[in-house]
Amino acid sequence: VQLQASGGGLAQPGDSLRLSCAASGPPSNPVMGWFRQAPGKEREFVAALSQSSGWQYVARPVRGRFTISRDNAKDILVLQMNDLKPEDTAIYYCASGTKPGTLPTAYDYWGQGTLVTVSS
């Protein structure tokens, strides 16, 4: 499974960005999610969902601002980020796995990451 993340860039506080993650290769895992890693910090869970069970979870720091969804026909995972804040600045990684989870160790495959910078 190969994951290709895109959509990052420079945004101002309050702006919106839409990240996409395209999966290719063998049938993708049912669970797909987003993590982020800011400079000097550990990788942090953002949001994930399970295609097979309907499970979905969004981390508290971004809840109400970020929405995760999946286009099953195209096998694309989307993270819609609204009302961006400077603390959202990080490299965002998409990942896939077989079981729902919020820890990086729960995921088997990772994309290369896309940089999101929120600054005025």
Side-chain angles (χ1 to χ4, degrees), residues 44-101:
E44 174 189 32
F45 173 81
V46 176
L49 53 77
S50 171
Q51 177 185 5
S52 59
S53 69
W55 172 83
Q56 183 175 131
Y57 190 74
V58 179
R60 188 180 299 273
V62 303
R63 196 173 297 165
R65 300 188 295 120
F66 291 12
T67 302
I68 187 171
S69 61
R70 184 171 180 174
D71 184 332
N72 292 323
K74 298 180 179 179
D75 217 359
I76 294 177
L77 183 71
V78 174
L79 184 69
Q80 178 66 42
M81 306 187 296
N82 298 328
D83 190 23
L84 285 163
K85 304 178 184 301
E87 53 263 39
D88 295 321
T89 295
I91 299 174
Y92 283 71
Y93 298 90
C94 61
S96 71
T98 57
K99 296 181 180 180

